[in-house]
Amino acid sequence: MTIPEADRELIVARRLRAAGCVFAEDEARLLVAAADAGTRPDADAGTEADAEADADADADALESMVVDRVAGRPLEQILGWAEFAGRRIVVEPGVFVPRRRTELVLGQASAALVDDAAPVDDGDGPATRSPAVLELCCGAAAVATVLAAEHPGLDLWATDLDPVAVHCARRNLDGRGTVVRGDLFDGLPPSLRGRFRVIAANAPYVPTGAISSLPPEARLHESSLALDGGADGLDLHRRIAAEVGEWLAPGGTLVLETSERQAPDTQEALVAAGLRARVVRDGEIDGTVVVAVAR
């Protein structure tokens, strides 16, 4: 069906609401705006036939997006971007969509950079080398992208095992950092060992058995590499705890997203690995992280 020109937002919102979309009106507004953005830049200078063709193209584009959304595809993958900390982050099909709760990771990582503004010590005395920062299991690299904008001059790195995520992360960082493909710290140059002032990570923490109960937006349209945390959801957290000490600089900070229920176990794994760790919770955005500092 071709969506009529009049009252498009209202019509789209009704269809989205019937499909179970909680924020149907907001999503309808974004989808209509995205369809309108496809209008030719020179449309005003064209003929009436050109204008009609543009209108038809917009209607077709909107209909295609609405069909995708009704079928359960994430809104952000349809639009091609997600809002994160007030910025637009490119999101490609299949890539994990940045959640608002991960803004707590960003906030704690940013605070650690501000609090630890001392020069880097290379072993031969303090130097002025740029602080090294890593986003681990980066997905679209939302955290790294905002850090690059808010803290210019960082020696910024990001890693992910998913090649699609790596491609998307490179688009977002756009030359302001280096993105490598690897399993956790694999792929990073050995010269970075012991250099990272801050490591931020939203590693998968969904228990394998719980994935089938996730909303279809996640279960069907995001990579299992970004979701599956093993039997209890903490496989990656334990691996990070075991390996992170050799990558952090003395006094460096790890910020690791977890769930409120899993936080004590994540904290325990990091303490057992020799780090000082505390849980930080933000109920407003339903965010939970463990902040761990190397001794």
Side-chain angles (χ1 to χ4, degrees), residues 29-288:
R29 185 180 69 255
L30 290 169
L31 291 173
V32 169
D36 288 345
T39 302
R40 296 182 321 141
D42 61 346
D44 291 342
T47 65
E48 183 175 344
D50 290 333
E52 291 178 358
D54 286 335
D56 288 343
D58 289 349
D60 291 344
L62 180 57
E63 174 64 10
S64 176
M65 289 188 286
V66 172
V67 168
D68 279 352
R69 186 67 186 111
V70 168
R73 187 177 170 195
L75 174 70
E76 294 84 357
Q77 291 182 7
I78 296 170
L79 297 174
W81 58 269
E83 183 175 343
F84 183 80
R87 299 177 185 273
R88 287 191 177 188
I89 303 297
V90 173
V91 177
E92 297 177 355
V95 174
F96 184 81
V97 175
R99 272 53 161 182
R100 189 181 175 211
R101 60 177 174 264
T102 305
E103 292 180 9
L104 182 58
V105 175
L106 169 67
Q108 292 296 311
S110 183
L113 283 170
V114 172
D115 291 343
D116 183 20
V120 176
D121 189 340
D122 287 320
D124 295 322
T128 57
R129 187 168 59 186
S130 299
V133 175
L134 170 65
E135 183 175 5
L136 201 62
C137 304
C138 67
V143 171
T145 299
V146 179
L147 288 177
E150 295 184 349
H151 300 270
L154 295 176
D155 182 11
L156 196 58
W157 293 77
T159 71
D160 202 288
L161 185 58
D162 182 1
V164 180
V166 168
H167 180 269
C168 188
R170 286 173 177 157
R171 289 182 63 191
N172 280 310
L173 282 173
D174 193 25
R176 294 171 295 176
T178 303
V179 185
V180 298
R181 184 186 178 195
D183 184 8
L184 295 184
F185 300 97
D186 291 352
L188 291 171
S191 60
L192 288 171
R193 293 179 188 272
R195 273 202 55 209
F196 286 111
R197 294 278 195 89
V198 174
I199 297 176
N202 180 14
Y205 55 88
V206 179
T208 303
I211 290 178
S212 61
S213 63
L214 290 175
E217 287 92 339
R219 187 178 72 251
L220 302 178
H221 297 279
E222 293 179 326
S223 171
S224 62
L225 290 174
L227 302 172
D228 193 343
D232 64 353
L234 297 177
D235 283 2
L236 273 296
H237 288 195
R238 283 186 285 268
R239 287 183 56 201
I240 290 171
E243 299 177 33
V244 72
E246 61 183 292
W247 293 93
L248 283 171
T253 300
L254 167 71
V255 184
L256 178 57
E257 180 169 309
T258 186
S259 71
E260 188 173 14
R261 178 182 61 81
Q262 294 163 307
D265 292 329
T266 299
Q267 180 184 24
E268 182 181 353
L270 290 163
V271 170
L275 286 79
R276 300 190 305 270
R278 59 189 173 89
V279 176
V280 178
R281 170 77 182 161
D282 186 334
E284 183 177 347
I285 61 174
D286 192 28
T288 306

